[in-house]
């Protein structure tokens, strides 16, 4: 048998062929594209580091409206037993609408609550595997391949924004891979954002007379979001924690 020395190119080609598919539907080339998009703020078309954020104007949240929740469930395939009002506690929820009443003034309002995409994210700090991570553009995500389902992140999140997948899943949406035994939460519809689109909840709230959700680049001084943040009084939920959240609220 004759020994044959392989060139570096041949070795890399062979390794690439062997590892081309890490899991069903997940390829190395997909990961490379995702990584390049995560770094786009540094390398690309802007002169500042992009930070995606959202402003929720609770004064515009119509009583009983669930358009944002329904759109989120449809976008990510969060199909449970019944509608959002009768979902069992084991079903995942990326957005939930809280009915809040100010005990002092008696004012009542609806408060959409989702992952707050914190700059200093407690979920990221406590994750033992690095599955919970924050992209350079501020979006906090969960890597399903490295999540071990320990649920430390769920305990650490002060917003109760994360869910654990207890059941086997079928009919999944390709753009939002999910898995039994893993944790998940609002991801700002990152697959849409990377295509230059709005999150599903924001798009669904775009009807005249609604428009309670505004999404954009918090670091772009010329963006509509930045302008609104400058002109309106806004609140961070649990601002005492100094997490510098990516979701801000007006009217609470």
């Amino acid at each position: 048998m004759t020994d044959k020395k392989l060139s570096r190119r041949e070795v890399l080609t062979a390794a690439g062929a062997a590892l081309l598919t890490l899991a069903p539907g997940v390829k190395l080339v997909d990961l490379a594209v995702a990584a390049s998009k995560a770094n786009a703020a540094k390398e690309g078309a802007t002169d500042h580091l992009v930070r995606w954020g959202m402003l929720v104007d609770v004064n515009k949240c119509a009583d009983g409206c669930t358009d944002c929740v329904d759109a989120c469930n449809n976008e990510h395939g969060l199909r449970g037993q019944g509608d959002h009002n009768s979902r069992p506690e084991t079903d995942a929820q990326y957005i939930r609408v809280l009915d809040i009443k100010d005990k002092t003034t008696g004012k009542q309002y609806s408060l959409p609550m989702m992952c707050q995409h914190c700059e200093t994210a407690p979920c990221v700090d406590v994750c033992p595997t690095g599955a919970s991570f924050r992209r350079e553009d501020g979006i906090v995500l969960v890597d399903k391949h490295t999540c071990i389902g320990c649920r430390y992140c769920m305990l650490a999140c002060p917003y109760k924004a994360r869910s654990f997948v207890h059941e086997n899943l079928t009919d999944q949406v390709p753009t939002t891979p999910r898995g039994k035994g893993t944790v998940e939460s609002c991801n700002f519809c990152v697959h849409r954002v990377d295509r230059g689109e709005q999150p599903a909840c924001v798009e669904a709230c775009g009807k005249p007379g609604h428009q309670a959700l505004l999404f954009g680049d918090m670091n772009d001084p010329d963006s509509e979001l930045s302008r609104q943040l400058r002109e309106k009084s806004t609140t961070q939920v649990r601002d005492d924690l100094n997490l510098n959240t990516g979701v801000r609220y007006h009217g609470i």
Side-chain angles (χ1 to χ4, degrees), residues 132-208:
S132 291
F133 67 100
R134 181 178 181 270
R135 295 203 326 180
E136 290 177 330
D137 57 12
I139 299 178
V140 176
L141 300 173
V142 179
D143 185 338
K144 296 294 182 174
H145 295 287
T146 53
C147 176
I148 59 175
C150 67
R151 288 173 269 189
Y152 288 164
C153 61
M154 294 179 67
L155 293 173
C157 177
Y159 308 104
K160 297 182 179 180
R162 294 199 157 193
S163 300
F164 183 77
V165 182
H166 292 267
E167 295 86 12
N168 291 320
L169 302 172
T170 58
D171 301 323
Q172 292 197 51
V173 178
T175 52
T176 306
R178 306 173 64 209
K180 181 180 180 180
T182 63
V183 174
E184 56 189 14
S185 64
C186 160
N187 55 27
F188 268 166
C189 288
V190 64
H191 56 286
R192 294 172 64 100
V193 172
D194 283 346
R195 296 196 302 256
E197 301 172 6
Q198 295 279 296
C201 59
V202 177
E203 186 176 278
C205 192
K207 301 175 185 176

